C-alpha cells in the first residue's frame, strides 16, 4: 500500500514539474514557488521511495527467509519423495517377490494335488488289493479248516496205524522168538542128523565088513 501511494505522489510531482516549466515564462515568482513545491514534493517522493525501498528490502528479506524455509521444506519433501520412491520400489520388489512366491506355492499346490490324486489312486488300488487279500485270507482260512479236519482224520488214522504197527511189531517179535526157538531146534536136529549120519556110515561099514567075512567062510 505504501509503494502504491509513492507512485501516485511521483506522478503528481512530475505533472506539477511539467506545469512549472510551462508556467515559468508567465511568472518568475510563481515559478520559484512551484520549484520549491516541486523540491518539497521530490523530497517527499524520495522519502516515500526510501520507505518503499526499505519495505521492499524487508519484504525481500522476509521472502528470502520464507524462500529458505520453503526450500528447506522442499528439500525435506524431496527427501521424503525419494524415501517414498525407494519405499515404493522396495514394496514393488516385495510385491513381485510375493507374487513369485505365491505362484510357486500355487504350482506346488497343483503338483501336490496331482500327487494326492496319484496317492488316492494308489490308496484305492491298495484297498482293492487288501479286499482281495482278505478274500484270500478267508479262502486260506477255509482251506486251513478243511486241512485241520483232514488232519484230525489222519491223526485218528495215525493212532490206528500206530496200534496196528504195535500189533504187527508184537507179532514180529513173537514170530522172531518162535523162529529163534525153531532155529535152535533146527540146529540141534541138524547136529543129531550129522551125528547119526556118521553113526549110520560107521554101522554100514561094520555091516559091510561083517558081510564080507561071512561070504569068505
Amino acid at each position: 500500500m505504501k509503494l502504491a501511494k509513492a507512485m501516485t505522489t511521483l506522478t503528481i510531482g512530475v505533472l506539477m514539474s511539467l506545469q512549472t516549466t510551462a508556467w515559468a515564462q508567465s511568472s518568475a515568482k510563481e515559478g520559484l514557488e512551484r520549484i520549491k513545491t516541486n523540491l518539497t514534493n521530490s523530497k517527499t517522493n524520495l522519502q516515500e521511495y526510501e520507505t518503499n525501498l526499505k519495505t521492499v528490502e524487508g519484504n525481500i528479506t522476509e521472502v528470502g527467509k520464507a524462500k529458505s524455509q520453503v526450500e528447506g521444506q522442499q528439500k525435506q519433501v524431496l527427501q521424503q519423495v525419494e524415501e517414498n520412491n525407494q519405499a515404493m520400489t522396495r514394496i514393488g520388489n516385495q510385491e513381485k517377490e510375493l507374487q513369485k512366491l505365491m505362484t510357486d506355492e500355487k504350482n506346488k499346490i497343483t503338483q501336490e494335488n496331482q500327487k494326492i490324486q496319484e496317492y488316492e489312486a494308489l490308496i484305492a488300488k491298495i484297498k482293492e488289493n487288501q479286499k482281495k487279500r482278505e478274500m484270500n485270507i478267508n479262502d486260506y482260512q477255509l482251506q486251513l479248516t478243511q486241512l485241520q479236519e483232514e488232519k484230525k482224520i489222519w491223526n485218528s488214522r495215525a493212532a490206528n496205524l500206530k496200534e496196528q504197527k504195535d500189533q504187527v511189531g508184537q507179532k514180529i517179535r513173537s514170530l522172531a522168538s518162535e523162529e529163534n526157538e525153531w532155529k535152535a531146534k533146527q540146529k540141534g536136529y541138524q547136529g543129531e542128523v550129522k551125528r547119526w549120519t556118521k553113526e549110520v556110515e560107521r554101522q554100514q561099514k561094520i555091516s559091510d565088513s561083517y558081510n564080507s567075512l561071512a561070504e569068505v567062510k
Side-chain angles (χ1 to χ4, degrees):
M1 293 296 293
K2 290 181 180 181
L3 181 60
K5 181 179 179 182
M7 292 296 291
T8 302
T9 303
L10 177 62
T11 302
I12 294 172
V14 171
L15 291 173
M16 290 177 67
S17 176
L18 291 174
Q19 291 175 358
T20 300
T21 301
W23 295 335
Q25 296 176 357
S26 60
S27 177
K29 184 177 181 180
E30 291 178 359
L32 181 61
E33 290 297 327
R34 293 179 186 280
I35 291 172
K36 289 180 180 180
T37 301
N38 288 337
L39 177 60
T40 301
N41 291 334
S42 296
K43 290 180 179 180
T44 300
N45 288 334
L46 177 61
Q47 291 178 354
E48 289 293 333
Y49 275 109
E50 287 177 346
T51 301
N52 289 335
L53 178 61
K54 290 180 181 180
T55 301
V56 169
E57 289 176 347
N59 290 337
I60 290 172
T61 302
E62 293 298 325
V63 169
K65 292 179 181 179
K67 181 181 178 182
S68 297
Q69 184 177 0
V70 172
E71 286 176 347
Q73 293 176 351
Q74 183 186 33
K75 184 177 180 180
Q76 292 178 355
V77 170
L78 291 175
Q79 183 177 357
Q80 292 176 357
V81 168
E82 180 64 22
E83 292 176 354
N84 190 74
N85 290 335
Q86 293 177 356
M88 291 296 293
T89 301
R90 175 178 56 81
I91 291 173
N93 292 333
Q94 290 178 346
E95 285 180 343
K96 291 180 181 179
E97 182 65 21
L98 290 173
Q99 289 292 341
K100 182 178 179 300
L101 292 174
M102 289 174 64
T103 301
D104 292 341
E105 292 298 328
K106 288 179 180 179
N107 291 335
K108 289 180 181 178
I109 289 174
T110 301
Q111 294 175 357
E112 288 172 350
N113 286 333
Q114 292 177 351
K115 288 184 179 180
I116 288 173
Q117 292 177 356
E118 293 175 358
Y119 290 150
E120 287 177 347
L122 180 59
I123 291 172
K125 182 65 177 178
I126 292 173
K127 287 183 177 180
E128 183 180 354
N129 290 338
Q130 286 181 336
K131 289 181 180 179
K132 291 180 180 179
R133 295 184 189 285
E134 289 175 355
M135 292 175 63
N136 290 337
I137 290 172
N138 293 333
D139 185 46
Y140 296 151
Q141 182 63 48
L142 179 61
Q143 294 181 32
L144 180 62
T145 302
Q146 294 174 348
L147 285 175
Q148 288 174 347
E149 293 297 325
E150 185 177 353
K151 183 179 179 180
K152 290 179 181 179
I153 295 173
W154 286 106
N155 284 334
S156 176
R157 184 180 179 190
N160 293 331
L161 290 173
K162 183 178 183 301
E163 184 178 356
Q164 293 178 13
K165 179 181 177 182
D166 292 340
Q167 292 175 357
V168 170
Q170 182 64 32
K171 289 182 180 180
I172 289 174
R173 288 192 294 274
S174 178
L175 290 173
S177 178
E178 185 177 353
E179 181 183 22
N180 290 332
E181 291 178 1
W182 285 112
K183 284 183 178 181
K185 291 180 179 181
Q186 180 187 31
K187 185 176 181 181
Y189 288 137
Q190 286 176 345
E192 291 296 322
V193 169
K194 184 176 181 181
R195 183 171 68 84
W196 285 106
T197 298
K198 290 179 179 181
E199 183 63 24
V200 168
E201 291 176 351
R202 190 177 67 81
Q203 292 296 329
Q204 185 65 46
K205 288 180 179 181
I206 294 171
S207 176
D208 290 341
S209 296
Y210 180 79
N211 289 330
S212 296
L213 292 175
E215 290 177 353
V216 172
K217 291 179 178 183

